[in-house]
Each structure stands twice: as structure tokens, then as C-alpha cells.
Amino acid sequence: MQDTASQHAYGFLTRPEVQFLDAAVERLIPADELGPGACDAGVTAYIDRQLTSTWGMHGRNYRSGPWVEGTPQQGFQSRLMPQEIYRYGIAETDAHCKRQYGKAFRMLTGEQQDEVLHALEKDSIELPSLPAKLFFGLLWRNTEEGFFSDPVYGGNRDKAGWRLLGFPGVAASNYNELMYTQTEPYRVEPVSILDMQEGRAALDNQGYPKHVPAQKDGHGRN
Amino acid sequence: MAATKLKPVDAVVVGTGLAGSIMCKSLAETGLKVVGFERGRLLDTQHDFAMPYVHDELKYDRHSDILQNLSRETITFRNKMSELALPMRELGSFKPGECVGGAAVHWGCHAKRFLPWDFAARSQTLERYGAAQIAADCTTQDWGISYDDLEPYYDQFEHLYGVGGKAGNLNGVIEAGGNPFEGARSREFPNPASKTTQIGQLFSDAVRQFGYSPHSNPTAAMTQAYTNPYKLMLGECIGGGFCGGHVCAQGAKANPLNTVVPALGRHDNFELRTLANVIKINLDSTGKRAVGVTYIDARGREFEQPADLVVLSAYTFNNVRLLMLSGIGKQYDPASGTGTLGRNYSYQTHGKVQLFFEDRTFNPFMGGGGRGTAIDDFNGDNFDHAGLGFIGGSYVAAQTSGAAPIKSKQVPPGTPGWGAEWKKTAAHYYNRSFGLNLHGSCQSYRDCYLDLDPTYRDANGLPLLRMTFDWHDNEKKMISHIVEKSAEIAKAISPAKMGSHKLSAKYSIVPYQSTHNIGGAVMGDDPATSVVNKYLQSWDVNNVFVVGGSAFPQNSANPPTATIGALACWAADAIKETYLKKPGLLT
């Protein structure tokens, strides 16, 4: 296996956790003829960076007890932080897969992986340390975020999520002229905050990017 | 820890959001020595609002540092009195602010006035339909002021915030192109209405077939460059999306930081004290007079700031909680129906009809700035409620809000929640869908209220505010009725597919709905059913005024911001013109 710096550039996740997530997020948003899936879009790297951030330890959440499960309407009540939810959730799901299928999650067929993910979502797997749907809910939320947020956060590589939707990223300052008249799809190369930070986007005199027509295949089909 | 006692000032204003900034400015204009307290920081708009960093959905939708930091203070919540209230551990249903400007820094710019009916909801319902129309446990009441009382102050606020729109009722004359159901306005909006977008046109054409009256949503995102009465300049909205929940790089979203706060710097007699969290209003030995406030600074030091006048103008929750922590007013008890403080907490209701097309695209990422085309035909009492079994209503709008890619993807009913088919469907319809949004009223009820939580405490060791709230049948019926009407409109636009959302069976604190929490320290003309009088003055402690959404006795369908702004202008005027000349209970 190729040993590159990027494979070790994880601040929180261990190698088996990375492999688990690469497999899981790819089932949630798979590669297809429309473009890359969540794995190639860097969603695992995105999740790792989120887990090392303030959010990964719920730094802005209320975290005093008593801890009571409550009703669904009362929202998140787990004493576990996202770091712990991923760590325990991955290990305990893998243990379930080994019991059920004799293999770790990443070694299962795609159909089996979907079966496990659906079971987590429906809470029909009993994980020892946390509700399965709590783990699944966080995994799906972060996958969607990592696929569609600005690439500055480590996911949405090559703006794959934005190309999929036809989302242009940072707005140009000419929308006011187009908004009332343009009924055809606005097909441009998406511009990210990362592009602008790295000097890859031409700017107008207001500091907004100048959008250029889409070039890459797969973009703007909408 | 003993508090350090500071040199007295004339007036303190607690909270510097939409209402507080207006109160600070008005009081500073009198020459009095005024201190404005803010628990959050003063944003530096040039850097905090810089391009391209404000065009960041993840940050502003999920991890924003301009919102209340729950690690220090939150609320607890339960649907029913029989349940155990638990802390709101992460933000969801609503997003209170924590910065100078408060929640108004990230508001959506919808600047509708309330309807004249809203201010007299109970008396007008009794008059038109009789007592049976109102649920037995509904505590909706009249405001103690009329729309006409507030009209000059709506006008004042609209000019301060550069609201764009087209009058529908100018001095009693119905004007073409405006909202014919609005209360009479004394002059036109200071800025023109936003233009009609493609979806606005589709909606307009459809509703006209039913005889409804489409009009442009009043918006406080500048429809042209604008200079307000304080000579502060606001730029024109470019419709770049990243709007609701976000700050604006263009300075086009009117908010306290660009309409009022810079003008405060012109008053040497005014001091803005940030990172200063007021924890109590101090009373004298009679309990009838406030002598100042106690606050904790960023280092954790406790100070006592004496003052002759205390204006509470924090978010709804903190206005109510500070009164409770200070022993001002009598706590409402739903069992006996006694007390007023915490009574009539309410919210707003929502519904939606989503339209999916094969042959149309909308470029939904363009927009924001409150752009939308609406009808008021089902708002307030603008339609006959006889036999419907509910009161109140909603407006219905086709909004061009700037669809962000994480949260604004819509898929038709029956689409899987993730996986290959979800991906294809979400990609297909992102550009081929829009919604008709219902923004509905919410009445007040005997069992929906605020008090102090017996268990959970904030970082200072003080009890959290406890919310007991659930949807009632009146609102469920109302939203269902108007969703059905909206579905008829949607069908007239001929979408390939449709989906709809009515009110959920129970209110949940999880999904974002609106930062439109109101009540708990409501205004009125009777101390038995209100905490403050019609000038927002505490009945119990006359040198305390409580300004904000906390004063609404129940909620209109329309967003609260313009009315909070108008009430602040109204209260400030009463303080300046009457109270300061002769301190005492205003009548």
C-alpha cells in the first residue's frame, strides 16, 4: 500500500477508522456517471477536521448534567461528544459486522454495507455505548456537509458537490442583472473560498469573483 | 464574591440588538449618561463581514460564533407540564444572537408590519364570530395599543432600516401593486419594492387566477443604495445568496451594526460595554424601584452599575429571565392561572408546498435579501373563518432566498434519504424546484409559558429559563387549511411533482424554524394579564422598561422584526417625551 503523507494527515481518526468512513460515506453518496462520490470528494478528511475542531468536542454545546434521554422533540441529549460518537460508533459497528458477516464493515459488499447503514439509521442494531441512529445521524449530517461545504474545510474536493448541483460557490456581483431574466441554467466554473485564498479566482473591483463559463465535463448538467 | 460598585449613570440598556440599539440611541440623544450592556462582542464589520468569508454556508449555518454560546447559557424545554424539561444542548429551532446587533445581524430581512387585526385579535374575533371561535385554553388578548398608535413608529423604523416595498394602503386608499390587506400607511416605503423573480412571476400569475393579491415582500435588504436619517449609508443588495443566517459583505442587510451603532459613537455621553453579562436588576428595599444592574465582565469580575432608569432590551428569553432572577413581577402559574411573568410565551408556525419541475430551471442560488412574492389573502382575519374552527392565518410566499447546497436541496416525496438514487434526484431537482412557504400566526395558550428551571443552571450558577410549549389544534387546523389552499395554487403552476409539509404533531426544538420566540413579559392595559403597560413599562417597578419580542401577547403570522423595531421607537418616544419629564407610571 502506498504510504503517502496525506494518508497520515489525520488529526483524530485512526487508520481503521479512516477505512471504515471511506467505505461508509461512499455508500451514502456514491460515485456514479454524474461524478465522484463522498470518498473521493474527501469527506473523511472533512470529518477528521471537524472532529479536531471545537465542534468535535461540542465546545459550544451545553454540557452539564443530569443527562436524561428525553423525548425526540427535546433533541440531542447524549453525554458523548462527536469524537466519542465516531470512535465508539465505528468500533461497535465493526464488531457487529464481524459477528453478523464475519468481516469488518469495509470488507463487506456494497449491498451488505447498505444493509448495515439502513439498520443503523432505523436503530435496529443494538450498539453497547450509544443509540445506532445517533451515530448514523451524525455520519449522514457530516457526509452531506463534507460533500457540499466549501473545500476550505477539506471536503468537496475539486468542488465535486457543487459541480453536481450546478452551484457556483461564492457569488458574483452580477446576479442582480441576471436574477430576473435568466431562465436557462447559469453554468459557470464554481469558485470557492479556497480558490480565492489561493489566488485562483479573478476578482472584480468589489472583491467578488468573476465567474467564467463552465469547462469541466459533468458540471452544469442542471 | 462582592461586586465592585461603579459610579452611577442615568440609564442602562441591557442588550444591544435590534431594540436595544434603538433605545441606546434615543436615550443618548437626550444628553443623559447612558451605558449599553452587551454580553457578546462588537463585530468589526470590515473584517468579520469580509469577502469571501461570509459566503460560507457551513460556518454560518452550523458553527456560527455570532449566535448564543450554549456552553454558558441555554434554556430547557418540554412539550408538556407533565414532562421533565431538558436543556437545549445544541442550537436548532431558533438562533438567538450573541454580539452587538443580536439576532438582527443574521436576520432574513423580511420587514412586514403586523396587521391591524393582530393588535386586537381577541376583541375582533369575539365581535365577528363570538366566543366559540376561540379555544377555551387560548389566552390570546389585545395588545393595549392599536395599529394606528404604532403606525408612525413603523414608519420611523422603516426609514431607519431603508425598507423596500410598495404601499398597498396609503392613508386609506388601496394602491395597485401593493398589499391591499396591510394597515393604512402614512407614506410610501423609503425604497422601491424588489423586482419580481421568475418564481415570483409564476406565483403571481397563478394566484391571480384565484383572485388573490400578489405583492412584493417588504424587505430590509437595500433595493437601492440608501442613506438613513442618521446619515449612515447602506449598499444595494446584489442577490448573492448566503443571506438568512449570514452577515452581509455588501452592508446591504439593514441591521443595528449599519443603521444605528455607528451613530452611537457620536455621543460622548454614551458608553457601549461589551462582554458584560447582566445577571440581575437591583431593587431598593421597597422592591418598587430599580437602582441599577449587576453584571459579570469577560474576566469574571462582578460589578454593580447604579442607574436611575433600566431598559431591558435583550432577546425574549433574557428579558423574561432577568425579570425572574430579579424578582420583578409575579411568576405565572398555569394551574391557578395567577401571575403574569412568563405567561403567553408563543412562537410562529410554518407549512410548505414544494413544486418540482422537469422543464424549468430557477438558478436558486441567486437571491436572498427577503426577495419574494406573497399573498395576504389567508393572513390574520383577511378571510372568513366561520366554520373553520380556528383563528389566525398565514401569508404564503414564493421566496427567492438563495438556496445553499448543504441545506436547500429538495427532493420529491418517496425519494430515499441517501445513496445512489438520492444523489441523482437531489442533483436533478436542485435547480428545478421551489417552494410556497407558509409563515403562520401562533396563538397563546394557558399551558405554554416560561419559568425558571428547578434543576439546570448556567455557567454563573443561575437557573436556566424553562420553556413549556407545544402546538395546539387551532394552529394545526390553520396550517392544514392554508397548505390545502396553497396546493391548489401550486397545481395551477403545473409542476411535475409536489410535496407538502403541515405542522408536526408535536413542536420539536430540533429543526430550525424561526428566531421568532415571543411573549413572557407581555404588554397590555391590565396588570392582571400583562407584565408591562402599553409603553412597555413594568407595572411593578416603574423605572424598568422591557422592550422586545417579549412584549407580544401572541404572535402574528408576520415576522416580528419590524414590530420589535416599531415598539422600540414607540417606547423610546414615551420615555423621552413623557417619562423623563415626570418619572412615574405612564398612563
Side-chain angles (χ1 to χ4, degrees):
Chain A
M1 191 169 289
Q2 196 187 0
D3 200 1
T4 66
S6 67
Q7 284 174 331
H8 294 287
Y10 288 93
F12 177 78
L13 297 170
T14 64
R15 187 66 183 264
E17 289 168 344
V18 169
Q19 291 170 330
F20 178 101
L21 288 178
D22 277 349
V25 302
E26 185 63 18
R27 295 312 300 175
L28 295 174
I29 306 181
D32 59 12
E33 71 279 9
L34 299 179
C39 180
D40 286 341
V43 166
T44 307
Y46 165 83
I47 292 173
D48 182 72
R49 284 179 56 181
Q50 290 297 306
L51 291 175
T52 55
S53 75
T54 315
W55 177 82
M57 289 167 278
H58 270 166
R60 292 176 67 86
N61 276 26
Y62 184 79
R63 288 197 44 80
S64 297
W67 298 88
V68 181
E69 196 168 333
T71 67
Q73 297 80 248
Q74 289 174 309
F76 187 92
Q77 295 294 338
S78 171
R79 64 169 66 220
L80 303 180
M81 302 182 290
Q83 288 188 346
E84 297 166 314
I85 292 170
Y86 273 94
R87 186 136 287 163
Y88 309 157
I90 290 171
E92 293 174 9
T93 302
D94 252 345
H96 164 84
C97 294
K98 283 172 190 160
R99 277 195 307 274
Q100 189 83 14
Y101 305 97
K103 290 175 188 166
F105 178 83
R106 69 185 173 92
M107 304 301 289
L108 302 182
T109 66
E111 277 179 14
Q112 290 170 326
Q113 288 174 338
D114 282 359
E115 219 170 83
V116 174
L117 291 168
H118 279 298
L120 291 172
E121 184 179 22
K122 289 183 198 134
D123 223 13
S124 58
I125 298 177
E126 185 76 19
L127 302 181
S129 309
L130 72 171
K133 67 177 178 188
L134 183 73
F135 173 44
F136 179 86
L138 208 60
L139 176 62
W140 171 237
R141 168 186 155 157
N142 291 151
T143 300
E144 205 178 11
E145 286 172 355
F147 199 72
F148 294 107
S149 60
D150 196 283
V152 78
Y153 294 103
N156 193 10
R157 283 188 188 151
D158 196 31
K159 296 162 278 190
W162 293 355
R163 292 180 196 285
L164 176 72
L165 300 180
F167 180 72
V170 179
S173 61
N174 63 342
Y175 285 3
N176 238 351
E177 293 148 33
L178 301 173
M179 195 178 348
Y180 307 102
T181 53
Q182 173 108 5
T183 54
E184 293 301 309
Y186 178 76
R187 299 174 194 273
V188 296
E189 271 297 299
V191 177
S192 67
I193 292 171
L194 188 64
D195 291 332
M196 292 175 73
Q197 273 183 349
E198 296 184 347
R200 288 196 295 265
L203 305 184
D204 68 16
N205 58 11
Q206 295 186 79
Y208 285 76
K210 292 179 182 168
H211 287 165
V212 298
Q215 290 155 4
K216 291 206 176 191
D217 287 347
H219 170 63
R221 68 176 46 80
N222 288 293
Chain B
M1 183 176 57
T4 305
K5 196 162 181 172
L6 302 170
K7 216 172 120 192
V9 296
D10 297 309
V12 294
V13 175
V14 181
T16 58
L18 185 97
S21 55
I22 290 171
M23 300 307 292
C24 286
K25 179 72 173 86
S26 296
L27 289 170
E29 284 166 3
T30 65
L32 292 176
K33 172 79 181 147
V34 181
V35 177
F37 285 97
E38 170 55 49
R39 66 180 174 175
R41 69 185 173 113
L42 177 61
L43 298 167
D44 166 4
T45 55
Q46 198 185 340
H47 297 104
D48 285 304
F49 293 13
M51 281 296 288
Y53 302 100
V54 293
H55 284 204
D56 182 342
E57 183 188 10
L58 185 75
K59 176 177 174 180
Y60 283 97
D61 198 56
R62 304 285 160 96
H63 302 305
S64 180
D65 70 347
I66 63 172
L67 305 181
Q68 182 168 325
N69 185 341
L70 303 187
S71 74
R72 286 196 284 268
E73 186 187 325
T74 185
I75 61 155
T76 68
F77 162 71
R78 57 182 179 175
N79 282 125
K80 291 183 171 42
M81 290 165 65
S82 57
E83 292 175 0
L84 177 67
L86 296 179
M88 176 177 75
R89 295 188 179 277
E90 62 183 0
L91 284 172
S93 179
F94 38 81
K95 297 178 174 177
E98 187 168 317
C99 56
V100 174
V105 173
H106 70 265
W107 74 307
C109 299
H110 294 282
K112 275 170 92 86
R113 297 179 178 193
F114 283 6
L115 297 165
W117 179 84
D118 288 318
F119 297 94
R122 177 167 287 268
S123 58
Q124 293 202 3
T125 300
L126 292 176
E127 194 180 312
R128 184 169 176 185
Y129 306 104
Q133 191 78 16
I134 305 176
D137 61 347
C138 175
T139 51
T140 286
Q141 63 193 40
D142 292 2
W143 288 52
I145 54 168
S146 70
Y147 170 84
D148 289 338
D149 291 330
L150 209 52
E151 199 286 331
Y153 301 93
Y154 272 127
D155 180 77
Q156 185 183 339
F157 176 75
E158 287 167 355
H159 283 73
L160 190 60
Y161 270 55
V163 176
K166 170 76 189 82
N169 181 341
L170 205 50
N171 293 306
V173 178
I174 301 301
E175 297 268 310
N179 174 9
F181 295 103
E182 71 174 358
R185 54 176 66 242
S186 50
R187 55 175 166 161
E188 253 298 354
F189 286 92
N191 277 321
S194 57
K195 288 187 278 183
T196 305
T197 62
Q198 186 192 174
I199 66 167
Q201 196 58 52
L202 290 170
F203 179 68
S204 292
D205 293 345
V207 299
R208 284 203 181 94
Q209 298 172 31
F210 295 87
Y212 306 145
S213 301
H215 55 271
S216 180
N217 261 342
T219 173
M222 297 307 103
T223 52
Q224 61 184 11
Y226 181 70
T227 303
N228 84 354
Y230 297 145
K231 304 288 179 227
L232 298 173
M233 290 182 285
L234 288 79
E236 181 183 349
C237 173
I238 64 156
F242 298 96
C243 185
H246 288 249
V247 300
C248 180
Q250 200 75 4
K253 179 189 288 197
N255 75 86
L257 294 172
N258 60 4
T259 59
V260 180
V261 171
L264 285 168
R266 300 171 195 157
H267 297 279
D268 291 340
N269 53 322
F270 175 79
E271 182 198 340
L272 178 63
R273 218 170 277 172
T274 58
L275 304 178
N277 189 13
V278 172
I279 57 168
K280 196 179 183 189
I281 299 160
N282 302 311
L283 304 178
D284 71 3
S285 56
T286 68
K288 293 282 174 200
R289 184 174 170 74
V291 294
V293 296
T294 297
Y295 71 96
I296 297 176
D297 78 355
R299 296 185 183 190
R301 297 175 299 192
E302 206 166 303
F303 294 92
E304 197 181 317
Q305 176 61 66
D308 292 327
L309 174 66
V310 175
V311 176
L312 275 187
S313 51
Y315 196 69
T316 288
F317 298 137
N318 280 345
N319 277 356
V320 175
R321 180 170 179 250
L322 273 170
L323 291 172
M324 290 173 179
L325 292 174
S326 309
I328 299 176
K330 189 180 174 203
Q331 172 65 49
Y332 170 66
D333 171 18
S336 63
T338 57
T340 55
L341 183 57
R343 180 175 168 274
N344 281 28
Y345 165 75
S346 191
Y347 196 40
Q348 262 169 346
T349 53
H350 298 85
K352 191 173 193 180
V353 175
Q354 192 72 28
L355 296 78
F356 302 90
F357 297 84
E358 299 301 332
D359 54 351
R360 292 181 190 278
T361 51
F362 304 104
N363 297 315
F365 39 85
M366 296 184 191
R371 278 178 186 74
T373 302
I375 56 167
D376 250 3
D377 296 80
F378 297 101
N379 200 345
D381 199 31
N382 298 341
F383 57 111
D384 187 359
H385 288 64
L388 294 178
F390 64 84
I391 64 169
S394 89
Y395 68 93
V396 182
Q399 288 162 355
T400 302
S401 339
I406 302 172
K407 68 176 175 194
S408 304
K409 301 179 300 298
Q410 299 290 338
V411 291
T415 306
W418 48 269
E421 195 185 333
W422 173 84
K423 182 186 177 189
K424 284 187 176 62
T425 311
H428 183 71
Y429 285 113
Y430 170 71
N431 202 357
R432 294 187 174 92
S433 180
F434 70 89
L436 304 184
N437 290 287
L438 280 68
H439 203 284
S441 57
C442 193
Q443 305 309 316
S444 290
Y445 296 94
R446 190 180 297 149
D447 61 354
C448 296
Y449 67 103
L450 304 171
D451 63 356
L452 291 176
D453 191 273
T455 306
Y456 293 96
R457 290 175 178 265
D458 71 7
N460 297 317
L462 299 168
L464 295 180
L465 191 73
R466 175 169 69 177
M467 174 200 295
T468 305
F469 181 76
D470 206 354
W471 302 132
H472 281 240
D473 284 346
N474 183 82
E475 278 60 42
K476 291 179 189 175
K477 284 184 203 165
M478 181 268 287
I479 290 291
S480 294
H481 178 75
I482 302 172
V483 163
E484 284 159 23
K485 295 288 180 189
S486 303
E488 291 172 10
I489 297 168
K491 280 180 197 147
I493 309 174
S494 303
K497 293 175 184 168
M498 279 169 50
S500 69
H501 298 283
K502 296 179 177 177
L503 212 51
S504 52
K506 289 171 182 284
Y507 167 69
S508 166
I509 205 158
V510 180
Y512 183 75
Q513 289 151 73
S514 70
T515 307
H516 300 167
N517 315 81
I518 60 97
V522 314
M523 62 194 291
D525 54 14
D526 180 357
T529 54
S530 57
V531 171
V532 292
N533 66 15
K534 68 177 181 175
Y535 299 108
L536 307 181
Q537 179 182 32
S538 164
W539 289 111
D540 301 280
V541 181
N542 296 161
N543 62 336
V544 171
F545 286 75
V546 189
V547 185
S550 54
F552 296 7
Q554 60 275 340
N555 219 344
S556 163
N558 295 350
T561 311
T563 302
I564 293 173
L567 282 179
C569 294
W570 155 266
D573 208 33
I575 293 172
K576 278 165 78 168
E577 300 304 321
T578 315
Y579 176 85
L580 291 176
K581 289 173 185 160
K582 189 172 179 252
L585 187 65
L586 299 176
T587 52

